[in-house]
Amino acid sequence: MSELDPRLRDEIDDQVAEALDAYLAERRPRRRWRAWPVVVTVALGVVTTWLSPGAAWAAWLAIGVTNAAWLVVVSGRRA
């Protein structure tokens, strides 16, 4: 394997850095994670089941309806 001329190596490094900068500038920002209410409501359901096992079915029913509604609303939005 031959060694590259230092000037050529610097030129290649500069071009790669410029291409990476252009790529990162054009890249769309990541979408925010909007499912946090689902995680929170499931955690609340676990706590409710632990504290009052007899009423757990009602809590899980409410959690399921709430989470389904939330996910339908969020999936309809565009960031």
Side-chain angles (χ1 to χ4, degrees), residues 8 12 29 39 47 49 51-52 56 74:
L8 180 59
I12 292 171
V39 174
V47 170
T49 302
L51 293 176
S52 178
V74 170

Side-chain angles (χ1 to χ4, degrees), residues 33 35-47 63 67:
W33 188 60
W36 65 268
V38 174
V39 174
V40 170
T41 55
V42 169
L44 289 173
V46 169
V47 170
I63 288 167
N67 289 347

Side-chain angles (χ1 to χ4, degrees), residues 8 11 16-18 20-23 31-32 34 38 48 54 62-63 67-68 75 77:
L8 180 59
E11 180 67 28
V16 169
E18 287 175 12
L20 182 61
D21 288 343
Y23 169 75
R31 294 181 69 185
R32 294 181 59 199
R34 295 188 200 147
V38 174
T48 302
I63 288 167
N67 289 347
S75 66
R77 293 185 193 167

